[in-house]
Short mmCIF file of all heavy atoms in Angstrom, two decimals:
data_model
loop_
_atom_site.label_atom_id
_atom_site.label_comp_id
_atom_site.label_asym_id
_atom_site.label_seq_id
_atom_site.Cartn_x
_atom_site.Cartn_y
_atom_site.Cartn_z
N TYR A 85 0.05 -15.07 -5.91
CA TYR A 85 -1.38 -14.72 -5.86
C TYR A 85 -1.71 -13.85 -4.64
O TYR A 85 -2.59 -13.00 -4.72
CB TYR A 85 -2.21 -16.01 -5.82
CG TYR A 85 -3.69 -15.81 -5.97
CD1 TYR A 85 -4.25 -15.45 -7.19
CD2 TYR A 85 -4.53 -15.97 -4.88
CE1 TYR A 85 -5.61 -15.25 -7.34
CE2 TYR A 85 -5.91 -15.78 -5.01
CZ TYR A 85 -6.44 -15.43 -6.23
OH TYR A 85 -7.80 -15.24 -6.37
N HIS A 86 -1.01 -14.05 -3.52
CA HIS A 86 -1.31 -13.36 -2.28
C HIS A 86 -0.35 -12.23 -1.93
O HIS A 86 -0.51 -11.58 -0.89
CB HIS A 86 -1.30 -14.36 -1.11
CG HIS A 86 -2.44 -15.30 -1.11
ND1 HIS A 86 -2.38 -16.54 -1.68
CD2 HIS A 86 -3.70 -15.17 -0.61
CE1 HIS A 86 -3.54 -17.15 -1.53
NE2 HIS A 86 -4.36 -16.34 -0.89
N THR A 87 0.67 -11.97 -2.77
CA THR A 87 1.71 -11.01 -2.39
C THR A 87 1.99 -10.03 -3.54
O THR A 87 2.24 -10.44 -4.67
CB THR A 87 3.01 -11.74 -2.02
OG1 THR A 87 2.72 -12.79 -1.10
CG2 THR A 87 4.03 -10.80 -1.42
N LEU A 88 1.97 -8.74 -3.22
CA LEU A 88 2.23 -7.67 -4.17
C LEU A 88 3.22 -6.70 -3.54
O LEU A 88 2.97 -6.16 -2.46
CB LEU A 88 0.92 -6.95 -4.52
CG LEU A 88 1.00 -5.75 -5.45
CD1 LEU A 88 1.43 -6.18 -6.85
CD2 LEU A 88 -0.36 -5.04 -5.50
N ASP A 89 4.38 -6.51 -4.18
CA ASP A 89 5.42 -5.63 -3.67
C ASP A 89 5.51 -4.35 -4.49
O ASP A 89 5.15 -4.33 -5.66
CB ASP A 89 6.79 -6.32 -3.74
CG ASP A 89 7.01 -7.33 -2.63
OD1 ASP A 89 6.08 -7.56 -1.83
OD2 ASP A 89 8.11 -7.89 -2.58
N SER A 90 6.02 -3.30 -3.86
CA SER A 90 6.31 -2.05 -4.58
C SER A 90 7.56 -1.41 -4.00
O SER A 90 7.89 -1.61 -2.82
CB SER A 90 5.12 -1.08 -4.48
OG SER A 90 4.89 -0.70 -3.14
N ASP A 91 8.26 -0.66 -4.84
CA ASP A 91 9.42 0.11 -4.44
C ASP A 91 9.29 1.53 -4.95
O ASP A 91 9.13 1.74 -6.15
CB ASP A 91 10.71 -0.50 -5.00
CG ASP A 91 11.13 -1.77 -4.29
OD1 ASP A 91 11.08 -1.79 -3.05
OD2 ASP A 91 11.49 -2.74 -4.97
N ALA A 92 9.34 2.49 -4.04
CA ALA A 92 9.39 3.90 -4.40
C ALA A 92 10.86 4.30 -4.41
O ALA A 92 11.61 3.94 -3.49
CB ALA A 92 8.61 4.74 -3.39
N LYS A 93 11.27 5.03 -5.45
CA LYS A 93 12.68 5.41 -5.59
C LYS A 93 12.81 6.92 -5.78
O LYS A 93 11.99 7.55 -6.43
CB LYS A 93 13.30 4.70 -6.78
CG LYS A 93 13.33 3.20 -6.64
CD LYS A 93 13.89 2.54 -7.89
CE LYS A 93 13.77 1.04 -7.79
NZ LYS A 93 14.05 0.39 -9.07
N LYS A 94 13.88 7.43 -5.21
CA LYS A 94 14.24 8.84 -5.38
C LYS A 94 15.72 8.86 -5.73
O LYS A 94 16.53 8.27 -5.01
CB LYS A 94 13.97 9.60 -4.08
CG LYS A 94 14.12 11.07 -4.20
CD LYS A 94 12.77 11.72 -4.08
CE LYS A 94 12.91 13.21 -4.05
NZ LYS A 94 12.22 13.87 -5.10
N GLY A 95 16.07 9.46 -6.86
CA GLY A 95 17.46 9.48 -7.29
C GLY A 95 18.02 8.09 -7.53
O GLY A 95 19.21 7.86 -7.35
N GLY A 96 17.14 7.16 -7.92
CA GLY A 96 17.57 5.79 -8.20
C GLY A 96 17.70 4.90 -6.98
O GLY A 96 18.01 3.72 -7.11
N HIS A 97 17.46 5.43 -5.78
CA HIS A 97 17.58 4.65 -4.55
C HIS A 97 16.20 4.37 -3.98
O HIS A 97 15.34 5.25 -3.94
CB HIS A 97 18.42 5.41 -3.51
CG HIS A 97 19.81 5.70 -3.97
ND1 HIS A 97 20.80 4.75 -3.98
CD2 HIS A 97 20.37 6.83 -4.45
CE1 HIS A 97 21.91 5.28 -4.44
NE2 HIS A 97 21.68 6.55 -4.75
N VAL A 98 16.00 3.16 -3.48
CA VAL A 98 14.73 2.79 -2.86
C VAL A 98 14.57 3.56 -1.56
O VAL A 98 15.41 3.48 -0.67
CB VAL A 98 14.65 1.26 -2.59
CG1 VAL A 98 13.37 0.92 -1.84
CG2 VAL A 98 14.71 0.48 -3.90
N THR A 99 13.49 4.33 -1.47
CA THR A 99 13.19 5.10 -0.26
C THR A 99 12.09 4.45 0.56
O THR A 99 11.96 4.73 1.74
CB THR A 99 12.79 6.54 -0.62
OG1 THR A 99 11.68 6.50 -1.51
CG2 THR A 99 13.95 7.29 -1.26
N ALA A 100 11.28 3.61 -0.08
CA ALA A 100 10.22 2.89 0.63
C ALA A 100 9.90 1.61 -0.13
O ALA A 100 9.75 1.63 -1.35
CB ALA A 100 8.98 3.76 0.76
N HIS A 101 9.81 0.54 0.61
CA HIS A 101 9.39 -0.75 0.05
C HIS A 101 8.06 -1.10 0.69
O HIS A 101 7.89 -0.95 1.90
CB HIS A 101 10.43 -1.84 0.37
CG HIS A 101 10.00 -3.20 -0.05
ND1 HIS A 101 10.02 -3.62 -1.36
CD2 HIS A 101 9.48 -4.23 0.67
CE1 HIS A 101 9.58 -4.86 -1.43
NE2 HIS A 101 9.24 -5.25 -0.21
N GLY A 102 7.11 -1.53 -0.11
CA GLY A 102 5.81 -1.95 0.40
C GLY A 102 5.53 -3.39 0.02
O GLY A 102 5.80 -3.80 -1.11
N ARG A 103 5.03 -4.14 0.96
CA ARG A 103 4.61 -5.52 0.69
C ARG A 103 3.18 -5.66 1.18
O ARG A 103 2.88 -5.36 2.33
CB ARG A 103 5.52 -6.53 1.37
CG ARG A 103 4.98 -7.96 1.25
CD ARG A 103 6.03 -8.99 1.50
NE ARG A 103 6.76 -9.18 0.23
CZ ARG A 103 7.62 -10.15 0.01
NH1 ARG A 103 7.89 -11.02 0.95
NH2 ARG A 103 8.23 -10.25 -1.16
N ARG A 104 2.30 -6.08 0.28
CA ARG A 104 0.91 -6.33 0.61
C ARG A 104 0.70 -7.85 0.57
O ARG A 104 1.00 -8.48 -0.43
CB ARG A 104 -0.01 -5.67 -0.41
CG ARG A 104 0.06 -4.17 -0.37
CD ARG A 104 -0.19 -3.58 -1.77
NE ARG A 104 0.45 -2.29 -1.89
CZ ARG A 104 1.74 -2.11 -2.21
NH1 ARG A 104 2.51 -3.12 -2.50
NH2 ARG A 104 2.24 -0.91 -2.25
N ILE A 105 0.19 -8.39 1.67
CA ILE A 105 -0.01 -9.84 1.79
C ILE A 105 -1.48 -10.09 2.11
O ILE A 105 -2.00 -9.57 3.11
CB ILE A 105 0.88 -10.44 2.89
CG1 ILE A 105 2.35 -10.10 2.64
CG2 ILE A 105 0.67 -11.95 2.97
CD1 ILE A 105 3.25 -10.34 3.83
N LEU A 106 -2.14 -10.88 1.28
CA LEU A 106 -3.54 -11.23 1.51
C LEU A 106 -3.65 -12.48 2.37
O LEU A 106 -2.85 -13.42 2.23
CB LEU A 106 -4.24 -11.48 0.18
CG LEU A 106 -4.30 -10.31 -0.79
CD1 LEU A 106 -4.96 -10.74 -2.09
CD2 LEU A 106 -5.02 -9.13 -0.17
N SER A 107 -4.65 -12.50 3.23
CA SER A 107 -4.93 -13.69 4.02
C SER A 107 -5.44 -14.80 3.09
O SER A 107 -5.86 -14.54 1.95
CB SER A 107 -5.97 -13.39 5.10
OG SER A 107 -7.20 -12.98 4.51
N ASP A 108 -5.40 -16.03 3.57
CA ASP A 108 -5.85 -17.16 2.75
C ASP A 108 -7.29 -17.00 2.29
O ASP A 108 -7.63 -17.39 1.18
CB ASP A 108 -5.68 -18.48 3.51
CG ASP A 108 -4.22 -18.89 3.65
OD1 ASP A 108 -3.37 -18.38 2.86
OD2 ASP A 108 -3.92 -19.70 4.53
N ASP A 109 -8.16 -16.40 3.13
CA ASP A 109 -9.56 -16.22 2.75
C ASP A 109 -9.81 -14.93 1.97
O ASP A 109 -10.94 -14.61 1.63
CB ASP A 109 -10.47 -16.29 3.98
CG ASP A 109 -10.25 -15.15 4.97
OD1 ASP A 109 -9.45 -14.22 4.69
OD2 ASP A 109 -10.88 -15.19 6.04
N LEU A 110 -8.74 -14.17 1.68
CA LEU A 110 -8.77 -12.93 0.89
C LEU A 110 -9.58 -11.82 1.55
O LEU A 110 -9.95 -10.84 0.91
CB LEU A 110 -9.31 -13.19 -0.53
CG LEU A 110 -8.60 -14.28 -1.32
CD1 LEU A 110 -9.27 -14.46 -2.67
CD2 LEU A 110 -7.12 -13.98 -1.48
N ARG A 111 -9.82 -11.92 2.86
CA ARG A 111 -10.62 -10.91 3.57
C ARG A 111 -9.77 -9.87 4.29
O ARG A 111 -10.27 -8.83 4.68
CB ARG A 111 -11.55 -11.57 4.56
CG ARG A 111 -12.64 -12.36 3.90
CD ARG A 111 -13.54 -12.95 4.93
NE ARG A 111 -14.65 -13.63 4.28
CZ ARG A 111 -15.59 -14.23 4.94
NH1 ARG A 111 -15.59 -14.23 6.26
NH2 ARG A 111 -16.58 -14.82 4.29
#
Side-chain angles (χ1 to χ4, degrees):
Y85 188 73
H86 289 94
T87 311
L88 177 66
D89 283 3
S90 63
D91 285 316
K93 297 177 186 169
K94 188 111 174 120
H97 300 283
V98 175
T99 56
H101 174 77
R103 172 161 277 191
R104 294 149 206 84
I105 305 165
L106 299 177
S107 61
D108 288 341
D109 65 5
L110 306 178
R111 291 182 176 181

